[in-house]
Amino acid sequence: MKKYQILSVAAATAVVTAAGVLTAPPLLAATPDITVNTASSYQTIDGFGAATPIFGGSGSPWTDGETQTLVGTGQGQLGLSIVRTVVSPVSSEWGLYANSLKTAKSYGSDVKILASPWTAPANFKTNNSRINGGKLRTDYYDDYAEHLNGYVQYMKNQGVTVDVTSVQNEPDWHPDYDSMDWTGTELRNFVRDQGTKVRDTRLMVGESLRFNRAYTDPTLQDVTARNNIGYVGGHLYDAENSGNLSSYPLATQYGKNQWMTEWNLHAADGNGSTIWGNPSNPAVWNETLDDIMRTVHRSMEANWSAYVWWYGRRFYSFIGDGDSQYGTTKGAVLKRGQAFSQYSKYVRPGDKRVALSKSSRTSSLEVTAYQGRGKVTLVILNRSNSAVNNAVIQTPRSISNAEYTVTSQSLGAASQPVNLSDGQATVNIPARSISTITVSEGAAPTTPPTGQPTTTPTTPPAGGSCTASITPGTVWGDRYNTAVTVSGASGWSVVVAVTSPQQITTTWSGSASLSGNGTVLTMRSDGSGNMFGFTTMMNGNSSARPQIRSCTAG
């Protein structure tokens, strides 16, 4: 029989076990301030990243040490999982960043490379120039496809897999540097007719300046073009004002993950020569928290799968470039990097964003939650001037271990204490901070209260051989947890209902689906046992108890 364990108190030394049954925290568990609901999930995360230098004046390639700082997940490292680089129109320049990319791939964990071209070779274009826009001549579409493929194959020979290749950076912007104009229809035509020629990578379309969907809709609406791409991308410049920092139903409909692939903001430059190298300067922290980190949070809530900042090494970015004008040390981690690492280091590729609810006490916090690798991770922005102390976090199963880090103007990705008690985690959330709590879960927190019947059997449906019985749950504030035991079948499906306005919010130990605005739960066996459980929020109705509607074998 399995043993389920619950760790209690901050020292996490007291263990309660019960062979073969789910054990419960005491009856006095606190009402949670943040409740994670893993039964409802959203996008899968592809990663968080930044770009290598793109233009000649932006510095030399990242050194091995700088690359390791950016992509590593150890102490003082930032955990980036996407590195963006440039596809130069001149093939003799392709090797410039090859070593940085190779180091990122070998040292980091599941690091993806995104390669973006700013322009095709000059002779492929209508203006015969690398700069000032100009269009790709239609008679050079096949040559451009071979140009992109040539880059991918060159990098492959250097030991670098280019996971994603963009067709064009900012097709709606034609400045006096490397650039090229496209319409959404032209992008569709190119990937439809030439996309299969770019091998060993996944194509991306869009990368519009404002994440303008007019540059991606035509490709998504064409079945051949759509099948030739892996992702849609866009930039954040003015995207919020234009309404494009939002979910993209058409991309979701066709299973194309959405990446934010560039944004750059450093309006705080003008406040002194040491502003970026001085972590106590409030202008830097305010811009980082209120602008940069807020848009990461909003991108996640919009169901985007990746957020890629501009340069990883720059005086206003994640590690310093040594520019004496702004007071940074080359290669040293900056406050903005520490803040960004609250996402990039702890929310990893493959994690899924999941639902949560907040109490009135934490309503001002901006929180997203993720599940993966056997863990639940919450990233919490507190942009208010007030701390939230003793915030109680509840997950579907009892929390057995937790790690908590905080970045603020005075804290740099610093480990902070967590109190573990009654299967919950309690933390202090400082004012003007971004923090991450990563928890490991133990047993589901269920037990029958004293004086209630321990089982309520059901009658198997006609022709079935499956029986389900309820173990009533303990009331904790405005919620209670319930366990269900199934007998008579190795595979099963159980339908449970609660009385509105009650709602089932979280489940464990099976494959769950909710309907009826959260009042009807269908739970299917995941093959690991004959028991499952769920949490019900009473929402003012404390008398009604869950009822089993059916139990079906198979």
Side-chain angles (χ1 to χ4, degrees):
M1 302 292 282
K2 294 182 179 178
K3 289 186 177 181
Y4 298 87
Q5 298 179 336
I6 297 177
L7 300 183
S8 62
V9 304
T13 56
V15 178
V16 180
T17 66
V21 300
L22 298 175
T23 61
L27 301 182
L28 298 179
T31 300
D33 293 298
I34 302 173
T35 302
V36 178
N37 176 11
T38 56
S40 297
S41 62
Y42 306 102
Q43 77 272 31
T44 299
I45 301 302
D46 289 319
F48 301 86
T52 66
I54 301 296
F55 302 110
S58 55
S60 59
W62 297 344
T63 66
D64 285 353
E66 290 167 346
T67 305
Q68 291 171 357
T69 296
L70 288 164
V71 304
T73 56
Q75 183 69 30
Q77 297 176 328
L78 305 182
L80 302 187
S81 49
I82 298 176
V83 175
R84 185 176 184 231
T85 192
V86 61
V87 181
S88 172
V90 180
S91 60
S92 61
E93 298 176 356
W94 287 350
L96 183 59
Y97 304 117
N99 187 65
S100 301
L101 302 180
K102 189 173 183 178
T103 301
K105 278 282 194 180
S106 62
Y107 187 83
S109 174
D110 197 23
V111 171
K112 296 179 178 65
I113 305 299
L114 164 63
S116 298
W118 264 244
T119 182
N123 63 303
F124 289 11
K125 297 171 62 181
T126 55
N127 66 351
N128 201 37
S129 172
R130 289 173 54 158
I131 67 173
N132 295 315
K135 288 189 175 293
L136 179 66
R137 289 170 47 179
T138 56
D139 56 329
Y140 275 94
Y141 272 28
D142 56 345
D143 297 280
Y144 186 54
E146 291 300 335
H147 171 76
L148 296 178
N149 183 62
Y151 174 84
V152 174
Q153 301 309 317
Y154 171 86
M155 283 297 174
K156 184 178 180 180
N157 291 334
Q158 302 301 307
V160 177
T161 298
V162 178
D163 302 273
V164 184
T165 303
S166 175
V167 174
Q168 175 63 44
N169 171 74
E170 295 179 354
D172 48 349
W173 184 242
H174 42 84
D176 59 354
Y177 50 80
D178 285 1
S179 52
M180 187 161 66
D181 292 339
W182 298 74
T183 66
T185 299
E186 290 164 343
L187 287 168
R188 177 204 65 193
N189 293 346
F190 177 81
V191 298
R192 181 193 63 199
D193 301 335
Q194 309 294 334
T196 58
K197 295 178 181 178
V198 189
R199 302 182 301 276
D200 303 318
T201 191
R202 302 297 303 277
L203 288 179
M204 171 183 285
V205 292
E207 290 208 89
S208 158
L209 191 72
R210 299 175 177 86
F211 218 130
N212 186 343
R213 282 77 188 275
Y215 288 85
T216 47
D217 279 354
T219 294
L220 291 171
Q221 290 162 346
D222 183 285
V223 63
T224 302
R226 182 171 70 238
N227 289 339
N228 286 346
I229 67 166
Y231 303 89
V232 296
H235 295 175
L236 209 53
Y237 303 104
D238 200 43
E240 202 163 10
N241 291 334
S242 61
N244 292 332
L245 205 177
S246 57
S247 60
Y248 191 2
L250 189 62
T252 301
Q253 177 184 344
Y254 291 117
K256 305 300 180 183
N257 285 4
Q258 302 135 70
W259 286 21
M260 198 299 288
T261 57
E262 184 185 315
W263 195 40
N264 176 15
L265 176 69
H266 52 100
D269 286 354
N271 294 340
S273 61
T274 63
I275 181 162
W276 293 100
N278 177 7
S280 65
N281 196 313
V284 168
W285 180 243
N286 292 342
E287 182 178 286
T288 295
L289 186 65
D290 294 328
D291 295 309
I292 314 305
M293 295 304 106
R294 179 183 56 81
T295 61
V296 181
H297 169 80
R298 286 208 57 199
S299 296
M300 295 299 101
E301 284 201 322
N303 294 316
W304 298 359
S305 293
Y307 188 109
V308 184
W309 176 248
W310 182 228
Y311 287 149
R313 183 195 64 203
R314 202 71 170 98
F315 61 86
Y316 51 76
S317 284
F318 299 159
I319 61 175
D321 60 3
D323 189 331
S324 60
Q325 181 180 187
Y326 297 106
T328 66
T329 300
K330 189 173 185 295
V333 174
L334 300 174
K335 181 67 71 174
R336 184 162 290 180
Q338 293 170 331
F340 194 77
S341 74
Q342 301 284 169
Y343 286 100
S344 59
K345 193 172 181 177
Y346 302 104
V347 182
R348 303 303 299 171
D351 288 359
K352 274 187 174 290
R353 187 171 72 88
V354 294
L356 59 86
S357 59
K358 297 180 293 185
S359 70
S360 59
R361 205 166 71 89
T362 55
S363 60
S364 65
L365 302 181
E366 296 161 294
V367 189
T368 49
Y370 309 84
Q371 183 182 42
R373 303 162 290 122
K375 302 177 180 180
V376 172
T377 301
L378 296 91
V379 185
I380 304 168
L381 274 71
N382 182 7
R383 295 193 296 115
S384 78
N385 293 317
S386 300
V388 180
N389 292 324
N390 298 315
V392 178
I393 296 170
Q394 178 75 52
T395 62
R397 303 170 70 90
S398 292
I399 296 173
S400 62
N401 187 47
E403 297 178 3
Y404 183 49
T405 61
V406 177
T407 298
S408 65
Q409 192 172 332
S410 60
L411 296 170
S415 179
Q416 298 293 293
V418 183
N419 179 48
L420 295 180
S421 181
D422 303 329
Q424 301 170 319
T426 302
V427 296
N428 293 330
I429 304 170
R432 304 291 297 157
S433 69
I434 177 171
S435 57
T436 305
I437 181 166
T438 301
V439 307
S440 300
E441 295 181 295
T446 63
T447 193
T450 302
Q452 291 209 22
T454 57
T455 60
T456 305
T458 63
T459 302
S465 56
C466 171
T467 301
S469 58
I470 280 182
T471 300
T474 300
V475 175
W476 296 353
D478 192 38
R479 78 187 192 284
Y480 56 88
N481 295 295
T482 302
V484 177
T485 302
V486 183
S487 59
S490 57
W492 42 262
S493 175
V494 176
V495 179
V496 179
V498 300
T499 303
S500 181
Q502 294 179 356
Q503 286 183 301
I504 297 170
T505 59
T506 52
T507 64
W508 52 88
S509 298
S511 174
S513 60
L514 286 168
S515 59
N517 200 26
T519 61
V520 179
L521 165 71
T522 301
M523 182 68 80
R524 293 176 177 83
S525 170
D526 62 3
S528 63
N530 66 336
M531 180 178 286
F532 69 90
F534 56 93
T535 299
T536 303
M537 297 302 294
M538 291 183 288
N539 297 327
N541 181 356
S542 60
S543 58
R545 291 293 181 264
Q547 300 293 319
I548 295 177
R549 286 187 175 178
S550 64
C551 182
T552 305

